Amino acid sequence: MVTKELGKITFAEYGTIRDYPYYIGLQLGFRMNGSAVMDGGKYTVNISPECKWWKTNREESITKSVEEVNRILKDAKVNYVSELVNKPVEVTIENNTFKDFRILTEVL
């Protein structure tokens, strides 16, 4: 089951995941109608030289991750990740798990 809920970004950091320091990228948290969800590392990339790359190479994956952060910042009309906090979003939830989100550019 897929649902879309309106909410706000409550957490926005760029860095490594505490227990998995070889994953780096944007980490986001959202609050919608009394519930909350994190992005589950969707916007992070494995930078470990030991990582086994299948479909793309390491550099392409890192570039794609940085370009995705840039797109999010542009949509939110901000320059810094910290400025994403409190931006209005539409969060897509699938089977009670974060799937995706979009900045509500029409209300900025």
Side-chain angles (χ1 to χ4, degrees):
M1 180 172 147
V2 176
T3 61
K4 295 186 181 223
E5 300 182 32
L6 298 179
K8 290 189 175 190
I9 296 174
T10 58
F11 176 85
E13 294 287 339
Y14 192 94
T16 58
I17 295 177
R18 184 176 316 262
D19 295 333
Y20 305 97
Y22 43 87
Y23 279 102
I24 189 168
L26 181 64
Q27 298 168 65
L28 298 169
F30 308 91
R31 176 156 304 276
M32 316 83 59
N33 299 325
S35 65
V37 67
M38 296 290 288
D39 67 10
K42 180 174 180 171
Y43 305 101
T44 62
V45 64
N46 186 335
I47 60 167
S48 170
E50 290 82 34
C51 179
K52 305 286 188 232
W53 296 96
W54 290 282
K55 294 181 181 176
T56 59
N57 69 38
R58 183 173 187 263
E59 292 77 20
E60 287 173 350
S61 294
I62 293 168
T63 300
K64 182 180 174 187
S65 175
V66 171
E67 288 173 343
E68 181 69 10
V69 172
N70 186 51
R71 183 195 60 79
I72 292 167
L73 293 174
K74 281 186 174 184
D75 286 352
K77 299 178 181 165
V78 299
N79 296 97
Y80 303 101
V81 169
S82 60
E83 295 175 305
L84 292 172
V85 173
N86 291 320
K87 292 296 179 184
V89 293
E90 178 184 71
V91 179
T92 302
I93 306 291
E94 184 176 326
N95 297 325
N96 294 322
T97 304
F98 174 84
K99 178 74 173 175
D100 203 4
F101 84 101
R102 72 177 185 90
I103 301 286
L104 295 176
T105 57
E106 60 272 21
V107 298
L108 291 180

